[in-house]
Amino acid sequence: MLKSEIQNLPSSAELPCSDDTPVDNEEQNFIPNFLLFLLEYLWGNRQDWFFGVDMAVYHTTGDNPRIPIIPDGFLALNVERRKGEGGRSSYVLWEENNIVPILALEVVSQTPGGEYSSKEALYAKLGVLYYVIYNPRQFRGDRHRGLEVYKLVKGKYRWQVQEPVWMPEIGLGIGRGLRNYGGVEREVLYWFDEEGNRYISTEEAEQQARSQLSEMRQELDIVRQQVEQERQQREFAQQQVEQERQQREFAQQQVEQERQLREQLQRELERYRQQLGDLGEP
């Protein structure tokens, strides 16, 4: 795009941030926000990404740059994580070095939204590499799966069959999983590693940390009990050694008393003999 053309385009401050269309099911709001929260945990130290939720994406591939496409969620890489003091109100390609989101997410609603037709064509034209359609309630009947991930190959989207789908350009996989929170179990989308292992959420990490801490405390209590038992055993052994020492001393004292008594008896006997000998002389 020429510099003169960019100068004629509206700024993000002049453009609406969304179309204010209300969602008609809970998943449309929860799923993309949940993925965002997971990324905040996984990529907390990175500053080169942005995940938008229900945010207008303005582009120049259509007839009017003031008409955006509004994914339920999208991920852009190699952009500022937070733009300006107040952050982004919309994602305007000509203010983002024309960096197209690498992933777009649509959560199918009861009201037809063109997820499998017009939006798919527009995302392909825009150059979005991965297009994710999540349809947990099967609003379109049996024609589509609950989760479909498409990759743009030579201008056309190709369905990625295996789940979770590994996306090497992003360094993440995406797939479904069950989340239990407050005793309520529900299906959600998760990020995965290359081996297909699900990344845990912050509350799961905290729960694991609490469990590990509890296990460490239990192990520490066991060690303390063992140390105390060993101390008591040492004290008992020392007491036995002391008792044996005292017994040996007592035995030695008895032996000494007996020796002294024998010596005394011998002296008395010798004295009596001398007295008897004196009496027997004429």
Side-chain angles (χ1 to χ4, degrees):
M1 184 179 296
L2 298 176
K3 184 175 181 180
S4 59
E5 294 176 328
I6 295 177
Q7 290 176 344
N8 293 327
L9 292 171
S11 68
S12 57
E14 302 174 272
L15 296 168
C17 59
S18 70
D19 59 1
D20 295 325
T21 301
V23 299
D24 61 10
N25 68 86
E26 182 182 351
E27 282 83 4
Q28 274 188 290
N29 182 271
F30 179 80
I31 294 300
N33 274 292
F34 184 67
L35 289 173
L36 169 60
F37 295 150
L38 289 176
L39 275 184
E40 292 280 358
Y41 176 67
L42 294 174
W43 289 354
N45 295 325
R46 289 180 53 175
Q47 303 299 324
D48 62 344
W49 62 276
F50 176 73
F51 193 95
V53 176
D54 193 28
M55 178 179 287
V57 177
Y58 288 93
H59 55 95
T60 58
T61 58
D63 297 331
N64 187 348
R66 290 180 176 273
I67 299 178
I69 187 168
I70 306 176
D72 290 318
F74 69 89
L75 173 64
L77 299 180
N78 300 315
V79 297
E80 294 178 275
R81 184 169 171 182
R82 184 171 179 84
K83 200 176 181 73
E85 294 183 0
R88 296 174 176 84
S89 58
S90 58
Y91 189 87
V92 183
L93 257 65
W94 53 88
E95 293 183 356
E96 304 285 352
N97 295 320
N98 289 311
I99 295 178
V100 175
I102 195 169
L103 177 146
L105 166 68
E106 293 289 349
V107 180
V108 179
S109 61
Q110 299 180 40
T111 305
E115 291 88 357
Y116 298 101
S117 54
S118 59
K119 283 188 176 180
E120 180 178 342
L122 183 51
Y123 287 132
K125 186 178 180 181
L126 189 58
V128 176
L129 184 60
Y130 289 98
Y131 179 36
V132 180
I133 306 176
Y134 184 50
N135 187 5
R137 302 191 189 184
Q138 298 289 298
F139 284 126
R140 300 295 179 271
D142 296 331
R143 291 181 299 164
H144 297 283
R145 295 175 180 265
L147 175 65
E148 295 180 0
V149 180
Y150 296 89
K151 184 175 182 178
L152 192 64
V153 180
K154 295 181 180 180
K156 293 184 178 180
Y157 279 122
R158 291 186 180 178
W159 178 33
Q160 308 298 293
V161 179
Q162 186 176 356
E163 185 184 344
V165 177
W166 175 246
M167 301 173 289
E169 298 84 357
I170 300 176
L172 292 172
I174 193 168
R176 290 171 291 185
L178 293 177
R179 176 178 183 266
N180 192 309
Y181 187 76
V184 178
E185 190 174 74
R186 66 186 299 178
E187 182 184 276
V188 296
L189 295 184
Y190 280 98
W191 301 113
F192 289 77
D193 64 17
E194 190 171 2
E195 284 72 38
N197 301 308
R198 176 175 69 80
Y199 285 113
I200 61 176
S201 61
T202 52
E203 61 265 22
E204 287 175 318
E206 292 172 357
Q207 180 61 39
Q208 285 187 4
R210 286 193 294 268
S211 298
Q212 291 174 353
L213 181 60
S214 177
E215 291 176 0
M216 290 175 62
R217 286 174 175 169
Q218 291 176 0
E219 291 176 358
L220 182 60
D221 287 340
I222 293 173
V223 171
R224 285 174 176 169
Q225 291 174 2
Q226 290 175 340
V227 170
E228 178 63 19
Q229 288 177 354
E230 292 175 357
R231 185 192 64 79
Q232 292 176 356
Q233 289 173 352
R234 285 195 302 270
E235 287 186 353
F236 180 73
Q238 290 174 352
Q239 290 173 357
Q240 286 184 320
V241 169
E242 179 63 20
Q243 288 177 355
E244 291 174 357
R245 185 190 65 79
Q246 291 176 355
Q247 288 173 353
R248 285 195 301 271
E249 287 185 354
F250 180 73
Q252 291 174 352
Q253 289 173 359
Q254 284 184 322
V255 169
E256 179 64 19
Q257 289 176 355
E258 291 175 357
R259 184 189 64 80
Q260 292 177 357
L261 181 60
R262 284 196 302 272
E263 289 181 353
Q264 181 179 0
L265 290 174
Q266 287 176 353
R267 287 194 298 270
E268 290 291 329
L269 180 61
E270 184 64 24
R271 185 171 61 83
Y272 288 144
R273 284 176 179 173
Q274 290 178 357
Q275 290 177 352
L276 289 173
D278 294 339
L279 292 174
E281 291 180 356

